[in-house]
């Protein structure tokens, strides 16, 4: 019987499994779908620029502290994952440009600037000449005044989600983690206030128990259904995000481009892949792409980057982000069971927050002190009774 069983094999479940295994725990991961169907595989992999000074509870919010804690851990994880698995997860401090192409986006950038100043995130307002020097691909858009305002954030980072997931999976297997794919967790077996087993349904619809000493639910957008079986009411709404993929000359675009509207971006990879995202749609568990969204995102790139105009996109996909009523993740103990934990609701930042979440959950499961107080992200925190609409 393993010490720990993790339900969910996305970036959150795999990161927790890897961290527990590194601490000497025997771990099983049970996942319903293949990785390609998770939000994690679909992610863009942007890690917004963080302040170089440490955020404390005096100058930042709990989520800002968790983000910085996670961001710093990513550097170490990237190094150790490469050493353990030989897989380069694409972690690069490539920097970004926050650009405004509309008046509305320009005023959003002003609000963003206030936040960067408050947190002391390194940023620089760019003149039209600066924009063309730093990002020559935007020279045409600057000349035609399509780009009205831009800031440079040198510390913004990217990671390649499918590669990071492959590295996590490989590291888990090397550390003895057992991974059960295509197994749907249906319910839980209790002995008094402890979960003794989860019942999984395999491909032949046979129900099998998996016993463990401790359990953690990390089932992303599907967590709500499972938690209901544990008498926990936690709205975890799926928010669909679509992404379009082009292939351009490597180096054609040097930085991540974030549009001041908040949700749209372009991410250039080292090998010339160019991701254009995204949407935020409330369409239930439908993870298909739509022609209207893909054509809007294509236009975004066509308008700014002449080199993309000559090309057809090479692929597209969508994933379901796990939302939460107050936009915060829920990370901590499950009140209705003595030996169960929960890590879900990471919405637009699950990749970024995965390392900090893994450390907090592993500390708690191993009975060690946690870097941050878990009640900030608990199921009974203030704010969870609000609407199911996450904030930006
Ligand atoms: C288009 C898009 C772009 C994004 N961009 C970014 C970004 O740039 N930066 C960033 O940090 N984040 C980004 N995100 C958000 C990030 O991807 C998510 O927050 C994160 O992947 C959530 O991870 P998860 O492990 O909780 O969920 P998932 O990756 O969805 O994994 C959940 C897992 O639970 C399993 N599961 C569910 N129910 C059951 C069950 N009953 N039994 C067994 N297994 C079950 C599923 O099969 C799946 O493996 C993006 C998301 C999308 C969709």
């Amino acid at each position: 019987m393993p010490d720990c069983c993790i339900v969910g094999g996305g970036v959150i479940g795999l990161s927790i499994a890897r961290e527990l295994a590194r601490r000497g725990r025997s771990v099983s991961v049970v996942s319903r779908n293949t990785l390609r169907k998770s939000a994690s595989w679909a992610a863009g992999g942007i890690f917004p620029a963080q302040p170089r000074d440490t955020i404390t509870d005096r100058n930042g919010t709990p989520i800002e502290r968790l983000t910085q804690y996670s961001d710093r851990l990513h550097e170490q994880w990237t190094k150790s994952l490469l050493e353990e698995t030989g897989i380069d997860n694409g972690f690069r401090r490539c920097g970004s440009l926050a650009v405004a192409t509309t008046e509305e986006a320009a005023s959003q950038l002003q609000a963003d600037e206030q936040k960067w100043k408050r947190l002391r995130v390194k940023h620089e307002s760019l003149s039209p000449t600066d924009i063309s020097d730093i990002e020559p691909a935007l020279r045409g858009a600057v000349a035609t005044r399509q780009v009205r305002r831009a800031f440079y954030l040198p510390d913004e980072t990217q990671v390649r989600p499918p590669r990071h997931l492959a590295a996590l999976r490989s590291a888990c297997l090397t550390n003895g983690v057992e991974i059960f794919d295509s197994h749907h967790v249906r319910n839980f077996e209790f002995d008094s206030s402890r979960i003794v087993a989860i019942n999984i349904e395999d491909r032949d619809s046979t129900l099998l128990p998996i016993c463990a000493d401790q359990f953690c639910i990390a089932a992303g957008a599907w967590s709500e259904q499972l938690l209901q079986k544990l008498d926990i009411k936690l709205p975890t709404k799926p928010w669909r995000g679509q992404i379009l993929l082009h292939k351009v000359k490597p180096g054609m675009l040097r930085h991540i481009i974030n549009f001041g509207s908040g949700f749209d971006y372009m991410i250039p990879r080292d090998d010339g892949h160019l991701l254009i995202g995204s949407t935020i749609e409330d369409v239930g568990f439908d993870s298909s792409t739509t022609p209207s969204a893909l054509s809007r995102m294509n236009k975004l790139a066509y308008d700014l980057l002449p080199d993309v105009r000559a090309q057809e996109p090479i692929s597209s996909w969508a994933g379901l982000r796990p939302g939460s009523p107050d936009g915060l993740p829920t990370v901590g103990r499950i009140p209705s069971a003595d030996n169960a934990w929960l890590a879900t609701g990471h919405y637009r930042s699950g990749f970024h927050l995965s390392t900090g979440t893994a450390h907090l959950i592993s500390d708690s499961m191993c009975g060690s002190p946690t870097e941050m107080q878990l009640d900030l992200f608990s199921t009974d925190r203030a704010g969870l009774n609000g609407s199911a609409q996450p904030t930006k």
Side-chain angles (χ1 to χ4, degrees), residues 49 51 64 97-100 104-127 149-153 156 258-261 392:
E64 287 165 349
L97 263 63
V99 305
E104 190 202 347
S107 52
Q108 175 64 47
L109 276 190
Q110 256 175 339
D112 289 343
E113 188 186 12
Q114 293 315 312
K115 183 178 165 190
W116 298 327
K117 279 186 178 155
R118 175 176 62 82
L119 286 174
R120 297 167 59 90
V121 171
K122 211 166 174 222
H123 66 285
E124 193 185 320
S125 177
L126 298 179
S127 70
R149 185 94 212 264
F151 286 89
Y152 175 49
L153 290 99
E156 191 127 324
N258 286 308
F259 293 83
S261 54
K392 185 189 155 192

Side-chain angles (χ1 to χ4, degrees), residues 7-14 30-35 37-48 183-186 218-223 225-226 239-243 265 267 278-279 317-322 343-353:
V7 180
V11 72
I12 300 295
L14 287 176
V30 183
S31 207
R32 187 167 82 182
N33 293 316
T34 58
L35 263 177
K37 293 205 170 156
S38 64
S40 304
W41 191 90
I46 297 175
F47 296 170
H183 285 80
H184 193 155
V185 175
R186 288 294 181 188
W222 298 268
S223 299
Q225 299 149 14
L226 273 174
W239 292 92
R240 184 171 71 187
Q242 302 186 40
I243 287 196
Y265 48 77
I267 314 170
S278 181
T279 58
W317 61 83
L320 300 172
R321 307 174 183 94
T344 190
H346 293 77
Y347 189 40
R348 298 186 66 209
S349 310
F351 237 88
H352 203 183
L353 300 176

Side-chain angles (χ1 to χ4, degrees), residues 242-264:
Q242 302 186 40
I243 287 196
L244 187 70
L245 183 69
H246 271 275
K247 184 89 199 275
V248 297
K249 207 165 131 225
M252 185 272 281
L253 190 68
R254 298 176 185 171
H255 303 90
I256 296 170
I257 306 293
N258 286 308
F259 293 83
S261 54
F263 303 131
D264 292 329

Side-chain angles (χ1 to χ4, degrees), residues 27 79 85 136 180 218 233 283 300 307 360 389:
V27 186
K79 203 164 159 269
T85 70
F180 299 92
K233 194 171 172 294
V283 290
L300 205 67
D307 286 9
L360 292 178
Q389 173 85 22

Side-chain angles (χ1 to χ4, degrees), residues 76-108:
Q76 303 163 19
W77 277 53
T78 294
K79 203 164 159 269
S80 58
L81 283 172
L82 181 63
E83 281 164 10
E84 273 171 53
T85 70
I87 299 174
D88 171 8
N89 67 3
F91 180 94
R92 307 275 186 274
R93 290 238 184 262
C94 56
S96 72
L97 263 63
V99 305
T101 55
T102 61
E103 277 308 316
E104 190 202 347
S107 52
Q108 175 64 47

